[in-house]
Amino acid sequence: MTRRAADTPRPSRPEGVTRRTFLHGTAWGIPAISAVTVTPAFAASGDDLLITQVPDETVACHRTTGPVVARLAASQKAGQLVQFSLPAGWTWTTGSGGYLTDAQGYATVPAGDIIVGDRSASLTATAAGLTATAGMVVTSTGSFVASPLDAPPSQANSTVERVAMCVEGAVISRANGELWSYESYYGPWKQVGTGASTGPGQLAYAWSARKALWIKNGALQFGTSAAGLPSGANSDFVRVEASDSIAVAVNSTGDLWGWSQNGGWSLLATGVLTGTNQIACLSGQVRTVRLWIADGVLTSDSGAEAIGTDNSGFVRVVATSGYAYRNGTYRGGAVCAVRSNGDIWFWVGNQGWTQLGTGAMTDAGQSAVYVGSSDYGVFWIKNGVLYRNQLVADMPSASNSSFVRVAAKDGGGIGIRDNGEVWTYNGSFSKDSHLAATGISQSTTYGSGAPNVIVPASC
């Protein structure tokens, strides 16, 4: 945890989350990571209570893996009681949530003292007549609803945490590290391995190779064995992405390795950003390239992308193949890129780069791109409102608000609201019958736009 000073914890939030979403994001009907709030007594007395640290992410129904810290700034700091209150469905492993401040005014809930519920929620701290709240991000687990693919076998289809698809192949990882894959032309679901990392952006499927791309103890895996990198290079990997015939993987120091069907593995770049949705693969009739962000510049195998007059400040990039509809019009694939100021740009083969709008949410999982037989575009979120390309999405018989995730592959896409509602797009929007987990890499779409989502299970 980076600190402002030796004794001042920095408020924690999920990987890649910007201040914009830190203050305004929502999940499951309450702020996923909300601004810390205080009672009017704060302004009047000069005393304050702040929740300064929460775990980045906790798997549903499990113990927290990091501390919760509150700071009471008062004339008498040491030995003050701070009472933490949990949302419904959350429990204490010991005690009832009362913790004393230390000499600097910090009250710490140690890692493991809280068992979280099945979805994100806010906890509250009270002390000396003051109140503070902060959101806790929970990664839900549950069953994987595959459409129109065959459902995973019962022994694999519980506590599913992440999913990735490419064309007609799919791969899922469970909270226990089991990895299962499916390929519609080559047989049923099968277990690929164990010990998989289950964080966001740590799972992909390379269609041409018929292999899952994944991480185990920091080492890059391709299918059932380690990837063919030079000796000593296969360590500390944190993110992967794949498409039809290419793939990329980045390690914790920003070394980016690329795979192609004809050329194998090679080092592409250094100094690359390592967060979710900061590397991408574009496979299409017009271009087949890997893309990445380094020092805010969006770069591909061909060099820096020609985006307007200023290729700088980019924080997210996503891409899709143009092959899902092999007889379709738009076979060049498509790319979406978002700058830190909320500018959102779109590339499609027959148009080049075009700016769609401003004010886009800049976190991972809040922009997605699709290419169909007669339609293409970008789904993105602005202040909870779902957009398709340059227009607000036309949601029949529903309020367009509280969207927290979008996902798309190939021919269509989905938007997920903070209460888990799934809205699909394949030429028009419609409400799906399922509720979905709202985490990153917990939903995707089939080539027709059919939703493939993880349905959260109760604890």
Side-chain angles (χ1 to χ4, degrees):
M1 174 64 61
T2 303
R3 297 184 183 271
R4 295 174 181 169
D7 63 342
T8 308
R10 181 186 300 273
S12 177
R13 58 184 187 260
E15 175 277 321
V17 172
T18 63
R19 177 176 173 81
R20 178 190 315 237
T21 297
F22 187 71
L23 295 176
H24 298 294
T26 58
W28 296 105
I30 63 171
I33 287 292
S34 60
V36 173
T37 59
V38 295
T39 67
F42 163 67
S45 68
D47 295 344
D48 66 284
L49 177 66
L50 300 174
I51 296 177
T52 62
Q53 183 176 336
V54 297
D56 283 348
E57 183 182 62
T58 303
V59 176
C61 312
H62 285 66
R63 295 187 178 192
T64 50
T65 57
V68 176
V69 180
R71 187 186 189 196
L72 178 64
S75 56
Q76 299 293 327
K77 293 182 178 180
Q80 301 297 306
L81 177 66
V82 178
Q83 181 65 49
F84 292 86
S85 300
L86 302 179
W90 297 38
T91 58
W92 296 101
T93 58
T94 182
S96 58
Y99 294 83
L100 297 178
T101 56
D102 62 15
Q104 286 76 43
Y106 292 105
T108 301
V109 180
D113 274 18
I114 299 172
I115 300 176
V116 304
D118 60 0
R119 60 197 64 188
S120 299
S122 288
L123 57 77
T124 301
T126 57
L130 303 168
T131 300
T133 62
M136 295 269 287
V137 173
V138 171
T139 298
S140 301
T141 64
S143 59
F144 177 55
V145 175
S147 176
L149 309 178
D150 296 336
S154 58
Q155 67 267 31
N157 204 10
S158 65
T159 65
V160 178
E161 191 167 339
R162 308 288 176 187
V163 56
M165 291 186 68
C166 181
V167 191
E168 295 182 349
V171 58
I172 58 175
S173 60
R174 301 181 63 201
N176 65 1
E178 285 184 8
L179 196 75
W180 292 72
S181 70
Y182 176 90
E183 217 297 322
S184 59
Y185 296 135
Y186 294 90
W189 286 90
K190 58 185 178 182
Q191 186 172 345
V192 178
T194 59
S197 298
T198 58
Q202 297 185 331
L203 189 64
Y205 190 84
W207 164 257
S208 293
R210 311 293 191 260
K211 291 181 179 180
L213 181 63
W214 52 294
I215 301 169
K216 181 175 182 177
N217 297 325
L220 193 62
Q221 312 293 306
F222 203 30
T224 57
S225 59
L229 275 63
S231 176
N234 197 352
S235 63
D236 299 323
F237 278 92
V238 292
R239 300 282 178 255
V240 299
E241 186 57 82
S243 188
D244 187 50
S245 58
I246 54 176
V248 283
V250 65
N251 66 19
S252 60
T253 62
D255 292 343
L256 184 76
W257 288 80
W259 172 86
S260 66
Q261 189 173 16
N262 298 323
W265 289 97
S266 61
L267 182 65
L268 298 180
T270 59
V272 174
L273 295 184
T274 61
T276 311
N277 294 157
Q278 294 182 329
I279 57 176
C281 293
L282 172 67
S283 292
Q285 193 176 47
V286 177
R287 299 175 72 191
T288 296
V289 296
R290 285 71 59 99
L291 299 110
W292 61 89
I293 301 171
D295 294 325
V297 175
L298 181 61
T299 306
S300 72
D301 297 282
S302 305
E305 291 289 288
I307 302 179
T309 59
D310 182 18
N311 183 343
S312 67
F314 283 94
V315 292
R316 303 292 169 195
V317 59
V318 291
T320 192
S321 166
Y323 288 127
Y325 289 85
R326 295 181 184 272
N327 61 345
T329 303
Y330 303 105
R331 297 170 62 186
V335 186
C336 170
V338 183
R339 298 176 69 178
S340 59
N341 65 357
D343 291 348
I344 184 164
W345 289 77
F346 173 56
W347 181 96
V348 69
N350 60 349
Q351 290 186 0
W353 283 101
T354 303
Q355 185 174 350
L356 294 179
T358 61
M361 306 303 286
T362 59
D363 296 343
Q366 295 185 325
S367 55
V369 62
Y370 71 96
V371 174
S373 59
S374 59
D375 191 14
Y376 61 86
V378 177
F379 297 104
W380 53 291
I381 300 170
K382 179 178 181 178
N383 296 327
V385 175
L386 180 64
Y387 282 69
R388 188 180 73 86
N389 297 333
Q390 295 173 314
L391 301 176
V392 174
D394 182 14
M395 316 297 293
S397 304
S399 171
N400 187 340
S401 63
S402 303
F403 280 92
V404 293
R405 288 284 173 262
V406 292
K409 275 290 185 184
D410 306 324
I414 58 175
I416 302 174
R417 301 180 72 179
D418 58 7
N419 62 0
E421 276 185 8
V422 178
W423 285 81
T424 67
Y425 177 85
N426 186 14
S428 61
F429 285 96
S430 61
K431 185 179 176 181
D432 187 72
S433 60
H434 298 102
L435 294 180
T438 60
I440 305 167
S441 308
Q442 294 197 303
S443 57
T444 184
T445 58
Y446 187 69
S448 62
N452 289 261
V453 300
I454 296 171
V455 177
S458 299
C459 294

